[in-house]
Amino acid sequence: MSDNGQEGLVYTYRASLMNRLYPLVKLAWVFVVAIGLFIYKSPISGAVMFVFVLSLAMLAGRIPIRQILGSSKIILMLGILLMIFHFFADPGEALLKLGPLTITDNGLYQGPIFFFRLSVVVLASFVLIWTTDTRDLMVSLTKAGVPYRGAFAVFLALRFLPLIQREVDAVRAAHSIRGKSSSSGLVHRFKLWQRYIFTILINGLRKAETTATSLECRAFGLYPTRTYVKDVQFKAWDLILIVVTVVLSTGLILIERL
């Protein structure tokens, strides 16, 4: 994606309704979604929550579907593999035999439940990351009573994750230019990934050392409190996200019980 495209994408996220919500409210919303998914006993409830979170990401978060699919494809594949595993692993009445493996009726019922548990929680976490400024999250954590040193550690973790992905892409591109194709055999791919990990580890240690030196030079941690250039204020209407999710989850649970 070009620089102009990236700027437009960031602007869209910042102008979205989800971005204007209080960061801790969105963090609590992810936990509410996760708790509901572990209470649901029907795959239909998981499917409804999947559609709800996906619609929220596209409409309230203004996140393009291409961005969602591009970032979630690995998790979706893992979810599908987990679902297929439960097709065969869960006990129940045999419906279909594929050699030594047997698909059970209970497996067909439980498999989609585990698929939605994984995919929906990851998708909700992505929505939190995409629509939240890490600095705003750090400020809101300190207002909640978290020591600013701990909040800054969370900020650094979220800040370095995109940098690690860029370094992986840069190392892969460098190996491709040198003729180290990633479409070669498994043994060669394993050796390439060893080089990736070594390079990323060394660069990560350098960044950590540079960051630690910068913090020491600025006397970070000298005072018990600190100020911030940009303040984040909690508004009562921010809770509408959690209220809607709780009402939806409660309705799904009651429908299952009835």
Side-chain angles (χ1 to χ4, degrees):
M1 183 181 294
S2 63
D3 294 339
N4 293 334
Q6 290 179 350
E7 291 176 359
L9 193 62
V10 172
Y11 173 78
T12 301
Y13 293 171
R14 290 179 178 176
S16 67
L17 178 62
M18 286 292 294
N19 186 268
R20 293 195 293 268
L21 295 179
Y22 195 66
L24 287 187
V25 170
K26 289 182 282 187
L27 182 62
W29 169 73
V30 174
F31 284 102
V32 171
V33 171
I35 292 172
L37 288 166
F38 281 93
I39 297 177
Y40 301 152
K41 301 299 182 181
S42 171
I44 297 178
S45 300
V48 171
M49 187 57 65
F50 180 83
V51 173
F52 170 70
V53 176
L54 182 61
S55 302
L56 197 66
M58 297 175 59
L59 299 178
R62 297 185 182 180
I63 304 173
I65 186 64
R66 182 178 61 182
Q67 176 76 9
I68 298 174
L69 294 177
S71 301
S72 307
K73 58 183 179 182
I74 297 179
I75 300 300
L76 292 177
M77 291 175 60
L78 290 176
I80 292 174
L81 291 177
L82 180 62
M83 179 175 63
I84 295 175
F85 170 78
H86 281 277
F87 285 169
F88 300 99
D90 289 356
E93 182 179 353
L95 297 179
L96 179 63
K97 288 190 175 181
L98 300 175
L101 302 176
T102 302
I103 298 178
T104 64
D105 56 347
N106 188 44
L108 288 177
Y109 188 82
Q110 294 293 332
I113 294 178
F114 285 91
F115 167 77
F116 287 120
R117 282 180 182 176
L118 177 64
S119 58
V120 175
V121 170
V122 172
L123 179 58
S125 302
F126 281 164
V127 172
L128 170 66
I129 295 173
W130 286 330
T131 61
T132 305
D133 192 332
T134 52
R135 291 185 177 86
D136 295 344
L137 179 60
M138 179 177 63
V139 175
S140 61
L141 287 174
T142 56
K143 285 189 173 184
V146 178
Y148 69 87
R149 298 178 184 85
F152 189 75
V154 176
F155 168 78
L156 288 180
L158 297 176
R159 179 69 178 87
F160 282 157
L161 283 177
L163 297 179
I164 293 175
Q165 180 61 45
R166 293 174 189 172
E167 289 182 357
V168 172
D169 296 337
V171 173
R172 185 183 294 114
H175 281 82
S176 299
I177 293 174
R178 296 172 184 174
K180 307 293 185 180
S181 176
S182 60
S183 60
S184 55
L186 292 177
V187 177
H188 187 62
R189 286 189 181 184
F190 179 74
K191 292 181 179 179
L192 284 178
W193 275 106
Q194 283 182 323
R195 297 173 184 174
Y196 294 167
I197 294 174
F198 177 77
T199 304
I200 294 170
L201 179 62
I202 296 300
N203 290 338
L205 292 175
R206 290 175 178 173
K207 286 184 173 61
E209 183 179 4
T210 303
T211 304
T213 303
S214 300
L215 294 177
E216 289 292 336
C217 293
R218 290 173 172 83
F220 183 82
L222 178 62
Y223 301 102
T225 59
R226 61 168 297 176
T227 58
Y228 300 93
V229 175
K230 180 183 177 183
D231 193 14
V232 182
Q233 298 294 334
F234 170 77
K235 298 176 289 294
W237 71 271
D238 293 337
L239 294 174
I240 189 65
L241 177 63
I242 295 180
V243 172
V244 171
T245 306
V246 170
V247 171
L248 177 60
S249 297
T250 304
L252 293 174
I253 293 172
L254 292 178
I255 292 174
E256 288 181 353
R257 299 299 185 269
L258 296 176

